[in-house]
Amino acid sequence: MSNTQDYVQWFRGAAPYIKAHRRKTFVIMITDEVIYSDRFIGLVHDIALLNHLGIKLVILHGSRSSIDSHLADNKLDSRFHRNIRITDTAALPLVIHAINEVKTYFESQLSTGLPNTPMSGSELSLVSGNFVTGMPLGVIDGVDMQHSGKVRAIKHEAINDLLALNHVVLLSNLGYSRTGEVFNLPAEELAGEVARALKADKLIFVQPGIADGDAQASTLSTRQCESMLEDSATPGELTSLLQQAIQAIQAQVKRVHFIDPRVDGGLLLELFTRDGYGIMVTNLFYEGSRAASIDDVGGILSLIEPLQDSGILVARSREQVELEISHFQVIEKDGMIIACIACIQDSKDDTAEIACLAVHESYQGSGLGNQLLQFAEDRAIKSGISRLYTLTTRTSHWFIEHGFTESGDFDLPEVKRATFNPERGSKILLKSI
Ligand SMILES: CC(C)(COP(=O)(O)OP(=O)(O)OC[C@H]1O[C@@H](n2cnc3c(N)ncnc32)[C@H](O)[C@@H]1OP(=O)(O)O)[C@@H](O)C(=O)NCCC(=O)NCCS
């Protein structure tokens, strides 16, 4: 394929995401290490692009390494308790200074008009202010955390008003108390609090840690994050990130993403390509996706019967579901099967059928269908399948959006031909995997 064609394909591929992200609210946390790195100008460009695509942006900058070096330069020790810096009275002015320095640099970079980049001439309007009310962390395990604080409130209405006017809101990890004190807040925690207060569509961490060097995009469920937290091998510095991800998802933030900042364009790849690039945490598999067992037959039938009655799914008897149960994957919530898929392999072929994909009405549109399909694809690839097909009467567009193409001349595997009912007029869709 020529470069021009690649470009056209890429642009078309990005179109659904451009549409989907428009007017959505993203909270993006960027550490100061990233802000002072060579890659930052690329990120500035990408932030400007997101703003121009109509995405509402709240950006938080971290300041940890700058604070470390300011304290070290002034021969003050950095003391931590439970991974949180203890900001004492001597350290506070240096902490404020370091934070303001990062903020000023950040603002200057976002004000450059981006010469010599594809976004040249674009102007961003950055706004910051007293949007974060802080309060003292107090004494933890007998240790006085002094000027280290936590979030008391976020002025989310004021932030939303600014976002509606297309301003980018920039927040530093400082909070002001009602008594006029200043508190040093953990930046990841603040990012999580802001995303929750705004009920943001995405909370994105552009920082080293979870997605390091992960060239393959992947998805984590909140349950997997919990297991990582329980695992003693998980480094302490990831604890807060994982906790924020879990809490954000539980508070209806739709997605949390971790992006390796060393990858140029990692943010764009994650947001605008089907396969993504970073690590995404979702509420999918909330109660766990798992291989179905014979005990699930009743639950699967309850889910698919209404769809069979309305002709959307082909009729399957209880006996047939029982026979095929090892091919099913289900998602269960509160003891109910809320989604299922079957990936039925023909033993003589490297082709498998995607069948019986169904998501309970109350859970449609939250990505469960997409997730189950991805799961089925992964499993199929592992068992040597190189091609998937599906038969559908009313869902062809959904499958096409997931990489399938219509194929009028595909020869159904023998085993399928035996049960195929041409009167349904199903379309046959194929996908190479
Ligand atoms: C098709 C189905 C499995 C998708 O599951 P889901 O969890 O809702 O899907 P996702 O959340 O991953 O994707 C939702 C998107 O798919 C779209 N979509 C849903 N059904 C669709 C259809 N029949 N045709 C085209 N797009 C469809 C939604 O509008 C939504 O798009 P949006 O985000 O732009 O609003 C689910 O809608 C379902 O169970 N439908 C009834 C059964 C069925 O048709 N099964 C397939 C049999 S072959």
Side-chain angles (χ1 to χ4, degrees), residues 101-282:
E101 215 171 67
V102 180
K103 176 173 174 255
T104 307
Y105 179 71
F106 192 101
E107 285 175 340
S108 71
Q109 295 306 295
L110 273 137
S111 306
T112 55
L114 302 167
N116 307 323
T117 79
M119 292 300 290
S120 171
S122 68
E123 292 239 337
L124 273 188
S125 161
L126 272 182
V127 182
S128 39
N130 64 339
F131 302 121
V132 181
T133 310
M135 62 185 196
L137 267 175
V139 177
I140 301 179
D141 309 324
V143 178
D144 186 353
M145 302 302 287
Q146 305 187 49
H147 302 281
S148 295
K150 59 181 176 181
V151 176
R152 179 168 178 179
I154 305 286
K155 293 178 184 160
H156 55 91
E157 285 168 356
I159 296 178
N160 274 328
D161 288 348
L162 291 163
L163 295 175
L165 294 170
N166 202 29
H167 297 297
V168 175
V169 174
L170 174 63
L171 298 177
S172 303
N173 55 307
L174 286 177
Y176 307 105
S177 77
R178 302 219 164 121
T179 52
E181 282 171 88
V182 182
F183 289 100
N184 177 18
L185 309 175
E188 289 92 1
E189 198 179 305
L190 178 57
E193 291 273 3
V194 172
R196 294 198 305 255
L198 294 173
K199 299 213 181 329
D201 296 279
K202 289 186 187 293
L203 168 60
I204 302 170
F205 292 96
V206 183
Q207 66 185 81
I210 294 191
D212 284 6
D214 204 314
Q216 283 250 304
S218 51
T219 309
L220 286 176
S221 65
T222 44
R223 185 161 286 180
Q224 285 168 309
C225 291
E226 277 160 9
S227 309
M228 284 171 76
L229 276 175
E230 283 157 19
D231 184 347
S232 55
T234 302
E237 61 270 22
L238 301 190
T239 307
S240 171
L241 284 174
L242 292 166
Q243 281 167 342
Q244 292 315 320
I246 296 167
Q247 286 174 20
I249 294 297
Q250 285 171 348
Q252 313 290 313
V253 173
K254 294 198 184 68
R255 304 272 191 268
V256 178
H257 301 258
F258 295 104
I259 291 164
D260 182 349
R262 290 165 305 184
V263 178
D264 188 23
L267 180 62
L268 296 186
L269 286 169
E270 177 69 356
L271 293 175
F272 296 101
T273 60
R274 198 173 74 84
D275 293 334
Y277 200 87
I279 296 207
M280 178 170 82
V281 184
T282 71

